[in-house]
Amino acid sequence: MKKNRMRLCAGLLAAILVLSGCSGTSGIKKAEPVNPVEVTDTHYLTDTLHKVTVTESERPFVVDAASEYKIIAGQDEHTQKAALYLASYINKATGCTLEYATPEEYSADGKYIVMNVPELFASAGLTMPEDDLGVMGYYIKSVEDNVFLASNYEQGARFAMLAFLRQVVGFKMYALDAVSFDKDGTTLPDMDIIEKPDIPYGYRMHNSGDEPEESYMMGFVANGFVAYGGVLWHNSLIYLPMEDYQAQHPSWYSTEGNDLCYTAHGDEKELDQMTTVIADKMLEAAAENPEALFATITIMDHSDVCGCDACTASAEKYNGADSAAVVKFTNKINEKVQAELQRQADQTGTKKRPLTVMFFAYTAMTKPPVVQNEDGSYAPIDDSVVCDENVAVFYAPIEAHFNHTFYDEVNQSYNDMMKGWEVCTDEMFCWLYETNFKNYMYPYNCWDSMYETYRFCVDIGASFIMSQGQHNAQASTAFTDLKDFTNSCSIFDLNRDYSDIIDDYFANYYLDAADPMRQYFDEMRAWMRHLEETYPAEVNGFIYAEISQAKFWPKNLLEHWLQLIDEAYKAAEAYKDDKALYDSLIERIKKESMFPRYVLIEFYSGTYSVEVLEDMMLSFKEDAQQLSFNRVLESDGGEMALVYERWGIQ
């Protein structure tokens, strides 16, 4: 393992401490320069599938915005969509509009991009590789002048398309309005690629302003991939509403009255009826949503457990793990779901549809039903708490310290629980967090830690990773958008150097304004590490930490960061002749100004004249509305309109 290059030196932090005026008068005690916490050793993955052989050729692809190549795409919805985006982004990169052809027009000595057309794939003498491609993997193979993109499952068409764009035109997306092409596409290389994403299912729950095209082209799966109306979380009482079933089936509900009872109070007949109803509803939802790969049965948002005798006895039997009853409950549902899917496949003579049923290991259900062996390894207490095939655990360690990696000792208990779940399931799903839900406008320092945490999750078998961000915010500040790009990179290649990702982002997202914006970001990270070391009980990486305190944010430091923002605005003027690009750059920079401006108004309003303060507040409101900032915290009362009301501005 090599040391990650991305570390912040003591000299940088010393400079920040001087700029912040750290003294008794600023509200922060004087601190000697310290070495910020470094990223831990890089834990590279060894079981990834990236067999990539690409050889440059002189074969013309696009010359003078024209091409002899045509696209032949399979008729399924996934492949048709992938073909549409392939043509669109080739056009963006080269100005060329690729034409389409039908399978009947194909000729072995022609020039075609063939996407998921099995009969043409076979006619070229090709067979799918024996490697485990999973649902999202793909095979790209050049044969003479033609190139074939193929996947075992239709969903892999998108990732094959993205790989093709990366190799042919150097496609990268940093945001919907920030796309780069490192190659001109004049030639089509020879390609022999057997690959699947390191995180097959990377999901974003960042902000409600995310564009579907952005999510699609950055590799994220959409909410529609989950059955039951797309409801991914807290849906147990959506399946079985109390008003519909409780009168006739009281044993279906917990003694606390806020969830299901996952043993049906010990009544096996009721448990069978209960799981049948849920299985039937899952199947109905899956039929309505043919794109769905998963169906969830997840506890409601609380930390209670059922206190009935059967649930209590189950927890006692399984080493205090209330989750044991949920595993058995989900296995029963899955058995019924898979049997029906197989029946449908047999009836239609088609391949059995892949559908994974997952349950929530959240709050009181996070403890796995395992024992620890003398050698430190884990084992399920018995076979009945091992997840059946097609059942996955959705682990959500909500109390973890996400400013540190899951390799860090501060997260050891969550590391241990995840390793415990690993021996209970063949497929792990992870629900992580990347924001402070009480303080949307403030930095949440997981930039350095999350990539390593993703590696940890994948290393123990996670195929789905979601990092929950500001899901009900329409815009974010404090370099929250950077996390989108980082997460996108993690989907494709978790062995990529994180330092290179950051360099890449700033160079291409901010262009000539990269230097001052990078300085701002580096200083913010260094300052956050300093706060974590100086105030470990308060700035501890919890997602509800009270970070909005004046003592953490010296006025001089905030004003210095706004000076860097002004430098970035000035640098962006180089693009004034390109209005669309210039306007986008200004908006990207302005987003990052919102955090210090907000905090200056919140904590230092008394240091400004009435006129200056009013101008600051009105200017903030104007920019916030232009950029669609709508919330300052997740819960009720977090609406930006209430901030303006509190400030006394119209």
Side-chain angles (χ1 to χ4, degrees):
M1 295 182 296
K2 76 171 186 177
K3 204 72 168 178
N4 193 302
R5 297 198 309 270
M6 191 168 191
R7 51 176 69 94
L8 298 170
C9 66
L12 174 57
L13 181 58
I16 298 171
L17 290 171
V18 170
L19 283 166
S20 66
C22 287
S23 65
T25 58
S26 68
I28 298 183
K29 63 184 179 182
K30 183 173 178 58
E32 293 299 320
V34 294
N35 286 309
V37 178
E38 293 182 352
V39 178
T40 59
D41 286 352
T42 301
H43 297 77
Y44 289 120
L45 303 175
T46 57
D47 294 330
T48 60
L49 180 60
H50 297 285
K51 297 180 178 178
V52 180
T53 302
V54 178
T55 305
E56 294 301 328
S57 76
E58 296 182 358
R59 182 185 302 109
F61 180 53
V62 176
V63 180
D64 295 330
S67 178
E68 296 181 41
Y69 277 84
K70 296 181 180 180
I71 300 172
I72 301 177
Q75 292 304 302
D76 65 275
E77 182 178 353
H78 291 282
T79 303
Q80 286 286 308
K81 184 175 182 179
L84 177 68
Y85 277 101
L86 186 147
S88 174
Y89 278 80
I90 290 296
N91 178 263
K92 292 176 190 291
T94 67
C96 172
T97 300
L98 293 178
E99 295 182 5
Y100 290 84
T102 66
E104 292 73 23
E105 296 176 72
Y106 172 79
S107 169
D109 58 1
K111 294 184 177 181
Y112 296 99
I113 302 167
V114 183
M115 304 176 65
N116 274 349
V117 184
E119 63 271 24
L120 299 185
F121 182 82
S123 73
L126 299 175
T127 57
M128 291 300 291
E130 296 181 358
D131 303 84
D132 179 14
L133 296 178
V135 174
M136 298 296 190
Y138 50 88
Y139 179 33
I140 302 178
K141 178 68 174 178
S142 299
V143 179
E144 300 300 334
D145 286 334
N146 297 309
V147 58
F148 293 83
L149 283 64
S151 55
N152 286 329
Y153 291 91
E154 296 164 353
Q155 291 90 341
R158 170 171 58 146
F159 286 98
M161 174 270 296
L162 292 171
F164 181 91
L165 290 175
R166 287 196 298 272
Q167 297 297 340
V168 177
V169 292
F171 164 81
K172 288 182 186 176
M173 177 177 281
Y174 306 88
L176 187 61
D177 66 342
V179 177
S180 72
F181 301 100
D182 294 338
K183 301 179 181 179
D184 60 15
T186 56
T187 58
L188 185 67
D190 290 315
M191 290 178 277
D192 188 350
I193 301 173
I194 302 170
E195 198 167 24
K196 66 179 177 181
D198 288 353
I199 303 175
Y201 315 112
Y203 181 65
R204 290 296 288 139
M205 194 159 66
H206 172 189
N207 63 59
S208 55
D210 285 347
E211 296 285 346
E213 181 177 341
E214 180 179 80
S215 293
Y216 184 82
M217 293 302 292
M218 292 182 80
F220 300 116
V221 290
N223 203 22
F225 75 103
V226 182
Y228 204 66
V231 179
L232 178 60
W233 50 87
H234 308 313
N235 61 15
S236 57
L237 293 183
I238 297 176
Y239 281 104
L240 301 178
M242 298 178 75
E243 60 270 22
D244 293 345
Y245 296 100
Q246 189 174 32
Q248 189 173 357
H249 302 282
S251 65
W252 289 9
Y253 299 95
S254 75
T255 55
E256 301 302 305
N258 57 2
D259 213 314
L260 305 180
C261 172
Y262 294 93
T263 65
H265 293 247
D267 188 325
E268 287 296 324
K269 182 178 178 181
E270 286 291 302
L271 185 64
D272 184 65
Q273 286 185 278
M274 186 181 181
T275 53
T276 297
V277 172
I278 293 175
D280 288 345
K281 289 189 175 185
M282 279 187 180
L283 288 162
E284 289 174 8
E288 293 170 0
N289 185 358
E291 293 188 16
L293 297 170
F294 315 109
T296 61
I297 174 67
T298 52
I299 64 171
M300 304 306 288
D301 196 3
H302 59 76
S303 56
D304 299 324
V305 295
C306 179
C308 78
D309 291 344
C311 286
T312 301
S314 175
E316 290 175 352
K317 178 179 179 179
Y318 291 100
N319 196 24
D322 294 287
S323 60
V326 180
V327 176
K328 295 179 182 182
F329 182 86
T330 310
N331 281 345
K332 287 179 181 291
I333 294 170
N334 178 66
E335 182 179 354
K336 297 169 182 179
V337 167
Q338 300 304 329
E340 175 59 19
L341 292 176
Q342 186 62 61
R343 187 197 68 79
Q344 293 174 7
D346 293 342
Q347 186 179 50
T348 58
T350 56
K351 184 166 51 178
K352 179 173 172 283
R353 174 181 179 169
L355 190 70
T356 297
V357 179
M358 50 186 175
F359 64 91
F360 225 172
Y362 172 74
T363 58
M365 299 297 178
T366 52
K367 185 176 181 179
V370 298
V371 291
Q372 190 169 22
N373 301 316
E374 291 184 1
D375 64 358
S377 64
Y378 293 90
I381 291 175
D382 63 40
D383 289 343
S384 71
V385 290
V386 175
C387 296
D388 289 346
E389 185 180 2
N390 302 115
V391 172
V393 57
F394 203 166
Y395 177 64
I398 193 170
E399 295 179 347
H401 306 260
F402 291 97
N403 60 334
H404 295 276
T405 81
F406 270 41
Y407 293 105
D408 194 289
E409 61 181 11
V410 73
N411 284 318
Q412 187 61 52
S413 62
Y414 308 102
N415 177 311
D416 291 341
M417 280 192 283
M418 204 177 295
K419 289 178 178 176
W421 280 116
E422 180 188 9
V423 302
C424 293
T425 181
D426 290 333
E427 192 164 19
M428 177 81 73
F429 291 61
C430 295
W431 183 313
L432 310 176
Y433 301 85
E434 60 174 45
T435 197
N436 185 317
F437 291 95
K438 288 180 68 176
N439 297 285
Y440 276 180
M441 297 299 293
Y442 289 78
Y444 184 77
N445 186 23
C446 65
W447 302 290
D448 298 354
S449 59
M450 292 304 281
Y451 217 73
E452 273 290 279
T453 292
Y454 300 151
R455 287 178 176 135
F456 173 81
C457 294
V458 170
D459 195 40
I460 66 163
S463 58
F464 175 110
I465 296 178
M466 183 192 78
S467 290
Q468 182 178 348
Q470 299 177 7
H471 61 96
N472 58 347
Q474 293 177 347
S476 306
T477 187
F479 293 100
T480 298
D481 288 346
L482 168 58
K483 296 168 186 175
D484 285 341
F485 181 63
T486 301
N487 288 339
S488 175
C489 292
S490 72
I491 290 170
F492 299 104
D493 184 4
L494 268 171
N495 284 337
R496 186 176 172 187
D497 191 295
Y498 182 64
S499 299
D500 292 341
I501 292 172
I502 299 300
D503 291 344
D504 186 6
Y505 178 82
F506 278 90
N508 288 284
Y509 191 68
Y510 291 110
L511 302 177
D512 285 23
D515 286 348
M517 295 305 292
R518 179 61 183 269
Q519 182 180 342
Y520 177 20
F521 173 67
D522 285 344
E523 290 182 5
M524 184 182 288
R525 289 187 305 122
W527 183 252
M528 291 301 296
R529 289 301 185 198
H530 166 67
L531 292 179
E532 291 160 11
E533 293 189 354
T534 308
Y535 302 95
E538 296 173 278
V539 188
N540 51 22
F542 286 129
I543 60 175
Y544 298 107
E546 191 48 76
I547 194 74
S548 58
Q549 300 183 50
K551 66 180 181 179
F552 299 148
W553 308 107
K555 183 172 183 281
N556 288 352
L557 182 59
L558 298 169
E559 290 176 335
H560 163 66
W561 286 342
L562 288 178
Q563 289 172 354
L564 293 176
I565 291 288
D566 287 339
E567 291 180 25
Y569 284 142
K570 185 175 181 180
E573 291 180 2
Y575 299 93
K576 270 194 168 181
D577 290 341
D578 185 338
K579 186 178 186 307
L581 177 56
Y582 176 71
D583 289 346
S584 290
L585 271 175
I586 293 300
E587 287 193 3
R588 296 171 203 169
I589 296 166
K590 190 180 295 182
K591 269 189 177 184
E592 303 311 328
S593 78
M594 302 303 281
F595 152 62
R597 292 164 65 189
Y598 177 80
V599 178
L600 284 170
I601 295 170
E602 287 284 281
F603 294 133
Y604 299 103
S605 58
T607 66
Y608 301 102
S609 69
V610 173
E611 294 79 9
V612 170
L613 178 62
E614 182 178 20
D615 183 66
M616 290 170 63
M617 292 189 295
L618 291 173
S619 175
F620 179 91
K621 179 181 178 181
E622 180 182 353
D623 289 343
Q625 291 178 334
Q626 180 216 344
L627 297 170
S628 300
F629 278 80
N630 66 319
R631 303 193 68 84
V632 295
L633 60 104
E634 178 191 35
S635 61
D636 291 343
E639 296 85 357
M640 189 68 78
L642 296 178
V643 173
Y644 306 143
E645 183 178 320
R646 174 162 51 81
W647 287 354
I649 60 174
Q650 298 299 317

